[in-house]
Amino acid sequence: MKILVTGGAGFIGVNFIYYLLKKYPNDQVFCLDLLTYAGNLRSLEEAMKNDKFKFVLGDITDREYIYELFSQEEFDLVVNFAAESHVDRSIENPEVFLKTNILGTQVLMDACLKYGNVRFHQVSTDEVYGDLPLDRKDLFFKEDTNLCPSSPYSASKASADLLVLSYIRTFNLRATISRCSNNYGPYQFPEKLIPVMIYKALNNEPLPVYGNGLNVRDWLYVEDHCIAIDEIIRHGKINEIYNIGGNNEKENIEIVRTILNELGKSEELITYVKDRLGHDLRYAIDSTKIKKELNWIPKTSFESGIKKTIKWNLDNKKWLDEILSNEYLNYNKKR
């Protein structure tokens, strides 16, 4: 197959590209990325050495450019990771989230329809469901749970999901949607909880924890997420939604303490800060559907995954330092 991975220079996209190149050496993999602040070509250095991989610089909202790309390459499959994804940034500047996450998805789907009804997969998030109460451990997000987003980020992703469903019904687009829980693992940009805490702990800096730290997230190791997406695009039912959860519910403060313990650092580094606006209380995913239909379950326990993630960050401190010094932006320009 010829596969287009949009947003492929970001955290999950990078991991998915390496997964594809390793598992399907005969497939051609294209990475389309605009290289905004979270895109890092340094992460794709090894992929660049593979003659089955090609990087393309471009904006998914640029209709003329996207149409030209689709016309030239004749893709078989599009996996859309391209999105603005940081909640705090969406609170500060909602507009760019609406443009990229909604209008960009529309342009990609229009291109899929125009050039042969290309198979399309939308990578979404459990945040479209809103949140669950902390005292109802019996409640979980299911694929038919009502959408109730809390932030401009999650609202833009929910809007994109609804747009995909409308294209399926109105235009018979061959598409699927997956909604995942919080990912962690190699190459994660240091603005999300786990890489931020690892870096700050390594440098003996205060570790800022929102509110009381009792907000709960379900953690999914990124490789397990890649495997799930692969199962959906190759064996899943067209026009279906699949939830992908890690079965690892943890309070934020527990995550921070685990990192400190693994690094042999004192909990005195923990600093509680003013809570995020509209901060969701608990995310919890029911992955029964993908388990029953595709025989997928997460293989990586949080205890194992966090050790691997910390080790990767320790082994790749230069990668992290380049981001925090903005040197990676110069590297992007040179490449």
Side-chain angles (χ1 to χ4, degrees), residues 96-118:
V96 67
F97 285 73
L98 305 185
K99 181 182 178 183
T100 300
N101 298 357
I102 303 173
L103 298 181
T105 300
Q106 179 200 12
V107 170
L108 288 172
M109 291 192 297
D110 286 343
C112 286
L113 291 170
K114 184 176 177 66
Y115 296 98
N117 200 357
V118 178

Side-chain angles (χ1 to χ4, degrees), residues 10 14 25 28-29 80 115 146 151 218 285 300 316:
V14 164
Q28 290 181 271
V29 180
N80 183 30
Y115 296 98
N146 289 336
S151 68
D218 175 29
I285 275 190
T300 310
N316 293 272

Side-chain angles (χ1 to χ4, degrees), residues 2 28 30 54 56 64-75 115:
K2 183 178 280 190
Q28 290 181 271
F30 285 69
K54 183 177 181 180
V56 184
E64 182 178 354
Y65 179 82
I66 294 298
Y67 280 9
E68 182 179 354
L69 179 65
F70 272 66
S71 175
Q72 289 179 354
E73 299 298 345
E74 299 181 342
F75 299 112
Y115 296 98

Side-chain angles (χ1 to χ4, degrees), residues 269-315:
L269 290 173
I270 296 173
T271 304
Y272 293 94
V273 299
K274 183 180 178 181
D275 208 354
R276 168 191 285 164
L277 295 174
H279 200 175
D280 287 336
L281 295 175
R282 173 177 171 252
Y283 302 151
I285 275 190
D286 183 339
S287 301
T288 300
K289 180 176 179 178
I290 192 172
K291 179 180 179 181
K292 283 185 175 180
E293 292 189 11
L294 302 177
N295 198 32
W296 176 90
I297 57 172
K299 298 178 180 179
T300 310
S301 68
F302 184 77
E303 291 70 24
S304 170
I306 195 64
K307 288 179 184 293
K308 289 194 287 186
T309 301
I310 291 173
K311 184 178 187 306
W312 187 90
N313 277 275
L314 290 172
D315 292 344

Side-chain angles (χ1 to χ4, degrees), residues 322-335:
E322 283 190 355
I323 291 178
L324 293 165
S325 68
N326 287 326
E327 178 59 32
Y328 78 107
L329 296 175
N330 294 326
Y331 179 80
N332 284 350
K333 290 178 182 178
K334 290 175 183 178
R335 290 304 300 262

